[in-house]
Structure formats: C-alpha cells, structure tokens
Amino acid sequence: MNVINTIFEEVKVITPRVFEDERGFFMETYNYINIKSYGIENTFVQDNHSLSVEKGTIRGLHYQLHPMSQAKLVRVIRGAVFDVVVDIRIESPYFGKWFGIELDENNKKQLLVPKGFAHGFCTLEPNTEVVYKVDEYYSPEADRGIMWNDPEIGIAWPTTDPVLSEKDKSHPALSSAEVFQV
C-alpha cells in the first residue's frame, strides 16, 4: 500500500498493492491495521455504493454537519470519476480550496476524505460505480451540500453541462452554506 498526502495534509490518496496474473488480480482494499500505521484511525461503520449511468453525472458536493460529520474512503470499481474535495473548515487557512484526482477501475486509487471537507465527483465514463466507506451513519438532519459550480471555489470540472439530481441543483454557494465547525 502506498499512501500520499495531497495539498491538504488530512486528505490522502491510497494505492493498494495489486497482485495480477493470467487469472486477473487480487488486492486488499481495506485493512485497519495497515491503514492505521499511516496515521489513519477512522473506524468505518457503513459502506455505500452508487451507479451513475451517464457520463458527466455530478454527485455532490456533499457533507454532514458536526457531530454527524463523516470521513469517507472512496474508490471506483467500474468506470472512472474526477473526484473532488473542498475544505469547508471555517478556521482553516485552506477554507474554500479544492483538490481533484481521477479515480478509476484501472488505477485502483482510493481517496480518503476527512471530516470537514465537502465531497463530490463527476463520472468520466458511462455506468460508473463508486463504493465508499463512511465513519458515521447517514443523518438526514445533518445532510448538507454546496453548489457544484460555485465560482468562489472554481472547481475545474470536466463538464459544463452535468447530469444532476434535483437535490444537487439546489445547494447553496459556499458563502451561504452552513460550514464545518467543531
């Protein structure tokens, strides 16, 4: 396993060891002891799985308010996404800054999204499947989001005309959103 920091020390890109032969491949996608050795101590309690049928589907930017905030460990099992995190910690010097990375079924990279970051992705291929672990259960009362194309954030999405849910169409700009405070 290889773990690297991004522009945000808390956001990690994890590349598992993959064993390939003529039959296909084997990889360990999660091992608490191994990941803990890199200082990642989240205890994941729920797995989520999404299918996005159309290329150019954006899901996000999502987060949950404290005390129900979630860390996520995200990976793609089919297709590809441009995966994005936005720092929404009001006291952070990086507040409103974003980081994006391509995750796909071939590179097998995973993204650790810590608490205090909004998360979203745009599918780069049709029929893309994303699975992710979370360390807190879903809470409808704490569920929040930020406008996907907020000019204040300026994410360089790979589409200008995404497929969006009604919920994702109605998220406020960062300047109007309830943000992460502990």
mmCIF file of all heavy atoms in Angstrom, residues 3 5-6 17 20 28-29 48 75 88-89 94 97 102 105 113 117 126 129 132 134 144 147 162 180-181:
data_model
loop_
_atom_site.group_PDB
_atom_site.id
_atom_site.type_symbol
_atom_site.label_atom_id
_atom_site.label_comp_id
_atom_site.label_asym_id
_atom_site.label_seq_id
_atom_site.Cartn_x
_atom_site.Cartn_y
_atom_site.Cartn_z
ATOM 1 N N VAL A 3 0.584 5.403 0.518
ATOM 2 C CA VAL A 3 -0.269 6.486 0.985
ATOM 3 C C VAL A 3 0.478 7.792 0.796
ATOM 4 O O VAL A 3 1.608 7.936 1.276
ATOM 5 C CB VAL A 3 -0.657 6.302 2.468
ATOM 6 C CG1 VAL A 3 -1.504 7.459 2.962
ATOM 7 C CG2 VAL A 3 -1.388 4.975 2.672
ATOM 8 N N ASN A 5 0.129 12.229 0.807
ATOM 9 C CA ASN A 5 -0.636 13.420 1.163
ATOM 10 C C ASN A 5 -0.944 14.202 -0.106
ATOM 11 O O ASN A 5 -0.250 14.090 -1.117
ATOM 12 C CB ASN A 5 0.153 14.308 2.116
ATOM 13 C CG ASN A 5 0.309 13.710 3.487
ATOM 14 O OD1 ASN A 5 -0.465 12.848 3.891
ATOM 15 N ND2 ASN A 5 1.315 14.151 4.216
ATOM 16 N N THR A 6 -1.968 15.020 -0.023
ATOM 17 C CA THR A 6 -2.332 15.913 -1.118
ATOM 18 C C THR A 6 -1.996 17.334 -0.669
ATOM 19 O O THR A 6 -1.235 17.518 0.284
ATOM 20 C CB THR A 6 -3.836 15.774 -1.415
ATOM 21 O OG1 THR A 6 -4.572 16.215 -0.271
ATOM 22 C CG2 THR A 6 -4.203 14.338 -1.748
ATOM 23 N N ARG A 17 -1.709 -2.448 -2.920
ATOM 24 C CA ARG A 17 -0.879 -3.398 -3.666
ATOM 25 C C ARG A 17 -1.801 -4.303 -4.450
ATOM 26 O O ARG A 17 -2.754 -4.853 -3.907
ATOM 27 C CB ARG A 17 -0.047 -4.250 -2.703
ATOM 28 C CG ARG A 17 1.371 -3.779 -2.586
ATOM 29 C CD ARG A 17 2.162 -4.621 -1.632
ATOM 30 N NE ARG A 17 2.816 -5.703 -2.349
ATOM 31 C CZ ARG A 17 3.404 -6.727 -1.766
ATOM 32 N NH1 ARG A 17 3.398 -6.842 -0.456
ATOM 33 N NH2 ARG A 17 3.992 -7.659 -2.470
ATOM 34 N N GLU A 20 -1.381 -9.285 -9.804
ATOM 35 C CA GLU A 20 -2.008 -9.648 -11.068
ATOM 36 C C GLU A 20 -1.326 -10.867 -11.677
ATOM 37 O O GLU A 20 -0.117 -11.039 -11.548
ATOM 38 C CB GLU A 20 -1.919 -8.478 -12.052
ATOM 39 C CG GLU A 20 -2.701 -7.252 -11.616
ATOM 40 C CD GLU A 20 -2.672 -6.142 -12.640
ATOM 41 O OE1 GLU A 20 -3.487 -6.213 -13.586
ATOM 42 O OE2 GLU A 20 -1.843 -5.230 -12.487
ATOM 43 N N GLU A 28 -6.088 -6.140 -1.519
ATOM 44 C CA GLU A 28 -6.734 -5.864 -0.243
ATOM 45 C C GLU A 28 -7.151 -4.405 -0.288
ATOM 46 O O GLU A 28 -6.303 -3.520 -0.342
ATOM 47 C CB GLU A 28 -5.713 -6.106 0.875
ATOM 48 C CG GLU A 28 -6.281 -6.204 2.249
ATOM 49 C CD GLU A 28 -5.218 -6.619 3.248
ATOM 50 O OE1 GLU A 28 -4.408 -5.745 3.654
ATOM 51 O OE2 GLU A 28 -5.175 -7.802 3.617
ATOM 52 N N THR A 29 -8.448 -4.138 -0.281
ATOM 53 C CA THR A 29 -8.917 -2.767 -0.437
ATOM 54 C C THR A 29 -8.946 -2.005 0.875
ATOM 55 O O THR A 29 -8.959 -0.774 0.883
ATOM 56 C CB THR A 29 -10.322 -2.724 -1.055
ATOM 57 O OG1 THR A 29 -11.234 -3.411 -0.208
ATOM 58 C CG2 THR A 29 -10.317 -3.354 -2.439
ATOM 59 N N ASN A 48 -21.249 2.398 1.167
ATOM 60 C CA ASN A 48 -22.217 2.910 0.200
ATOM 61 C C ASN A 48 -21.748 2.559 -1.208
ATOM 62 O O ASN A 48 -20.542 2.464 -1.457
ATOM 63 C CB ASN A 48 -22.359 4.429 0.334
ATOM 64 C CG ASN A 48 -22.862 4.822 1.704
ATOM 65 O OD1 ASN A 48 -23.733 4.184 2.268
ATOM 66 N ND2 ASN A 48 -22.309 5.891 2.247
ATOM 67 N N ARG A 75 -13.578 4.711 -3.612
ATOM 68 C CA ARG A 75 -12.891 4.044 -4.725
ATOM 69 C C ARG A 75 -13.886 3.737 -5.828
ATOM 70 O O ARG A 75 -15.093 3.673 -5.596
ATOM 71 C CB ARG A 75 -12.162 2.788 -4.282
ATOM 72 C CG ARG A 75 -13.029 1.663 -3.831
ATOM 73 C CD ARG A 75 -12.185 0.520 -3.231
ATOM 74 N NE ARG A 75 -13.020 -0.567 -2.824
ATOM 75 C CZ ARG A 75 -13.188 -1.686 -3.512
ATOM 76 N NH1 ARG A 75 -12.548 -1.873 -4.657
ATOM 77 N NH2 ARG A 75 -13.982 -2.646 -3.069
ATOM 78 N N ILE A 88 -14.034 22.877 3.950
ATOM 79 C CA ILE A 88 -15.117 23.728 4.461
ATOM 80 C C ILE A 88 -14.951 23.985 5.960
ATOM 81 O O ILE A 88 -15.912 24.343 6.644
ATOM 82 C CB ILE A 88 -16.508 23.134 4.146
ATOM 83 C CG1 ILE A 88 -16.660 21.741 4.749
ATOM 84 C CG2 ILE A 88 -16.754 23.139 2.648
ATOM 85 C CD1 ILE A 88 -18.086 21.229 4.735
ATOM 86 N N ARG A 89 -13.726 23.818 6.450
ATOM 87 C CA ARG A 89 -13.439 24.126 7.859
ATOM 88 C C ARG A 89 -13.215 25.632 7.963
ATOM 89 O O ARG A 89 -12.212 26.153 7.492
ATOM 90 C CB ARG A 89 -12.212 23.353 8.332
ATOM 91 C CG ARG A 89 -12.376 21.839 8.220
ATOM 92 C CD ARG A 89 -11.078 21.117 8.436
ATOM 93 N NE ARG A 89 -10.117 21.530 7.396
ATOM 94 C CZ ARG A 89 -8.834 21.230 7.410
ATOM 95 N NH1 ARG A 89 -8.322 20.522 8.399
ATOM 96 N NH2 ARG A 89 -8.032 21.639 6.444
ATOM 97 N N TYR A 94 -7.024 26.990 4.441
ATOM 98 C CA TYR A 94 -7.357 26.486 3.108
ATOM 99 C C TYR A 94 -8.864 26.496 2.843
ATOM 100 O O TYR A 94 -9.332 25.894 1.879
ATOM 101 C CB TYR A 94 -6.819 25.064 2.932
ATOM 102 C CG TYR A 94 -5.318 24.999 3.054
ATOM 103 C CD1 TYR A 94 -4.730 24.466 4.199
ATOM 104 C CD2 TYR A 94 -4.500 25.492 2.054
ATOM 105 C CE1 TYR A 94 -3.357 24.418 4.326
ATOM 106 C CE2 TYR A 94 -3.121 25.449 2.176
ATOM 107 C CZ TYR A 94 -2.551 24.904 3.312
ATOM 108 O OH TYR A 94 -1.196 24.861 3.435
ATOM 109 N N LYS A 97 -10.707 26.038 -0.627
ATOM 110 C CA LYS A 97 -9.791 25.473 -1.627
ATOM 111 C C LYS A 97 -10.219 24.047 -1.950
ATOM 112 O O LYS A 97 -10.820 23.359 -1.123
ATOM 113 C CB LYS A 97 -8.350 25.466 -1.126
ATOM 114 C CG LYS A 97 -7.825 26.836 -0.729
ATOM 115 C CD LYS A 97 -7.622 27.710 -1.931
ATOM 116 C CE LYS A 97 -6.964 29.017 -1.522
ATOM 117 N NZ LYS A 97 -7.557 30.165 -2.116
ATOM 118 N N GLU A 102 -8.279 11.860 -10.480
ATOM 119 C CA GLU A 102 -9.011 10.836 -11.207
ATOM 120 C C GLU A 102 -8.866 9.503 -10.484
ATOM 121 O O GLU A 102 -7.758 9.061 -10.175
ATOM 122 C CB GLU A 102 -8.498 10.708 -12.643
ATOM 123 C CG GLU A 102 -9.358 9.773 -13.465
ATOM 124 C CD GLU A 102 -9.016 9.779 -14.954
ATOM 125 O OE1 GLU A 102 -8.673 10.846 -15.488
ATOM 126 O OE2 GLU A 102 -9.111 8.695 -15.560
ATOM 127 N N GLU A 105 -11.219 2.330 -12.357
ATOM 128 C CA GLU A 105 -11.125 0.898 -12.101
ATOM 129 C C GLU A 105 -9.732 0.357 -12.392
ATOM 130 O O GLU A 105 -9.354 -0.691 -11.853
ATOM 131 C CB GLU A 105 -12.163 0.133 -12.913
ATOM 132 C CG GLU A 105 -11.952 0.206 -14.420
ATOM 133 C CD GLU A 105 -13.052 -0.480 -15.195
ATOM 134 O OE1 GLU A 105 -13.043 -1.727 -15.284
ATOM 135 O OE2 GLU A 105 -13.930 0.239 -15.704
ATOM 136 N N VAL A 113 -11.331 11.089 2.367
ATOM 137 C CA VAL A 113 -11.939 12.405 2.545
ATOM 138 C C VAL A 113 -12.211 12.575 4.039
ATOM 139 O O VAL A 113 -13.093 11.915 4.576
ATOM 140 C CB VAL A 113 -13.265 12.514 1.764
ATOM 141 C CG1 VAL A 113 -13.884 13.896 1.948
ATOM 142 C CG2 VAL A 113 -13.068 12.169 0.292
ATOM 143 N N PHE A 117 -14.592 18.312 5.088
ATOM 144 C CA PHE A 117 -14.437 18.513 3.650
ATOM 145 C C PHE A 117 -15.725 18.112 2.949
ATOM 146 O O PHE A 117 -16.312 17.070 3.252
ATOM 147 C CB PHE A 117 -13.278 17.673 3.092
ATOM 148 C CG PHE A 117 -11.929 18.177 3.475
ATOM 149 C CD1 PHE A 117 -11.402 17.929 4.741
ATOM 150 C CD2 PHE A 117 -11.170 18.924 2.590
ATOM 151 C CE1 PHE A 117 -10.156 18.407 5.115
ATOM 152 C CE2 PHE A 117 -9.917 19.412 2.953
ATOM 153 C CZ PHE A 117 -9.413 19.156 4.218
ATOM 154 N N PRO A 126 -19.646 6.224 -18.891
ATOM 155 C CA PRO A 126 -20.985 5.752 -18.533
ATOM 156 C C PRO A 126 -20.901 4.539 -17.611
ATOM 157 O O PRO A 126 -19.879 3.836 -17.582
ATOM 158 C CB PRO A 126 -21.614 5.370 -19.881
ATOM 159 C CG PRO A 126 -20.564 5.441 -20.905
ATOM 160 C CD PRO A 126 -19.349 6.074 -20.313
ATOM 161 N N GLU A 129 -19.379 2.936 -11.309
ATOM 162 C CA GLU A 129 -19.769 2.526 -9.968
ATOM 163 C C GLU A 129 -18.711 2.968 -8.962
ATOM 164 O O GLU A 129 -17.522 2.714 -9.142
ATOM 165 C CB GLU A 129 -19.962 1.019 -9.889
ATOM 166 C CG GLU A 129 -21.148 0.541 -10.707
ATOM 167 C CD GLU A 129 -21.434 -0.924 -10.520
ATOM 168 O OE1 GLU A 129 -21.750 -1.331 -9.382
ATOM 169 O OE2 GLU A 129 -21.331 -1.662 -11.525
ATOM 170 N N TYR A 132 -17.871 3.503 -1.270
ATOM 171 C CA TYR A 132 -17.119 4.219 -0.251
ATOM 172 C C TYR A 132 -17.594 3.846 1.135
ATOM 173 O O TYR A 132 -18.743 3.524 1.368
ATOM 174 C CB TYR A 132 -17.165 5.734 -0.469
ATOM 175 C CG TYR A 132 -18.538 6.358 -0.524
ATOM 176 C CD1 TYR A 132 -19.080 6.987 0.595
ATOM 177 C CD2 TYR A 132 -19.272 6.350 -1.694
ATOM 178 C CE1 TYR A 132 -20.326 7.583 0.545
ATOM 179 C CE2 TYR A 132 -20.517 6.948 -1.755
ATOM 180 C CZ TYR A 132 -21.043 7.560 -0.633
ATOM 181 O OH TYR A 132 -22.277 8.148 -0.680
ATOM 182 N N VAL A 134 -17.875 5.014 5.172
ATOM 183 C CA VAL A 134 -18.027 6.216 5.984
ATOM 184 C C VAL A 134 -17.883 5.848 7.450
ATOM 185 O O VAL A 134 -18.180 4.721 7.846
ATOM 186 C CB VAL A 134 -19.381 6.932 5.726
ATOM 187 C CG1 VAL A 134 -19.442 7.495 4.313
ATOM 188 C CG2 VAL A 134 -20.558 6.015 5.985
ATOM 189 N N ARG A 144 -25.949 18.142 4.197
ATOM 190 C CA ARG A 144 -25.809 19.452 3.568
ATOM 191 C C ARG A 144 -25.060 19.310 2.244
ATOM 192 O O ARG A 144 -24.483 18.287 1.945
ATOM 193 C CB ARG A 144 -25.028 20.424 4.474
ATOM 194 C CG ARG A 144 -25.682 20.732 5.801
ATOM 195 C CD ARG A 144 -26.981 21.505 5.640
ATOM 196 N NE ARG A 144 -27.536 21.940 6.897
ATOM 197 C CZ ARG A 144 -28.289 21.206 7.711
ATOM 198 N NH1 ARG A 144 -28.572 19.944 7.427
ATOM 199 N NH2 ARG A 144 -28.770 21.709 8.833
ATOM 200 N N MET A 147 -23.150 24.164 -3.867
ATOM 201 C CA MET A 147 -23.338 24.253 -5.309
ATOM 202 C C MET A 147 -22.099 23.725 -6.040
ATOM 203 O O MET A 147 -20.969 24.143 -5.755
ATOM 204 C CB MET A 147 -23.588 25.727 -5.670
ATOM 205 C CG MET A 147 -23.767 25.998 -7.119
ATOM 206 S SD MET A 147 -24.023 27.752 -7.575
ATOM 207 C CE MET A 147 -23.889 28.656 -6.081
ATOM 208 N N PRO A 162 -23.601 19.136 -16.543
ATOM 209 C CA PRO A 162 -23.683 17.834 -15.890
ATOM 210 C C PRO A 162 -25.111 17.320 -15.725
ATOM 211 O O PRO A 162 -26.074 18.083 -15.784
ATOM 212 C CB PRO A 162 -23.081 18.112 -14.509
ATOM 213 C CG PRO A 162 -23.460 19.530 -14.246
ATOM 214 C CD PRO A 162 -23.337 20.206 -15.591
ATOM 215 N N PHE A 180 -18.439 23.658 8.276
ATOM 216 C CA PHE A 180 -17.970 22.766 9.323
ATOM 217 C C PHE A 180 -17.325 23.547 10.471
ATOM 218 O O PHE A 180 -16.358 24.270 10.270
ATOM 219 C CB PHE A 180 -16.947 21.792 8.730
ATOM 220 C CG PHE A 180 -16.596 20.665 9.647
ATOM 221 C CD1 PHE A 180 -17.409 19.551 9.720
ATOM 222 C CD2 PHE A 180 -15.460 20.717 10.418
ATOM 223 C CE1 PHE A 180 -17.090 18.497 10.554
ATOM 224 C CE2 PHE A 180 -15.135 19.672 11.258
ATOM 225 C CZ PHE A 180 -15.952 18.565 11.317
ATOM 226 N N GLN A 181 -17.897 23.393 11.620
ATOM 227 C CA GLN A 181 -17.336 23.962 12.856
ATOM 228 C C GLN A 181 -17.405 22.905 13.933
ATOM 229 O O GLN A 181 -18.416 22.215 14.049
ATOM 230 C CB GLN A 181 -18.094 25.202 13.305
ATOM 231 C CG GLN A 181 -18.007 26.340 12.325
ATOM 232 C CD GLN A 181 -18.823 27.524 12.766
ATOM 233 O OE1 GLN A 181 -19.837 27.404 13.423
ATOM 234 N NE2 GLN A 181 -18.370 28.715 12.400
#
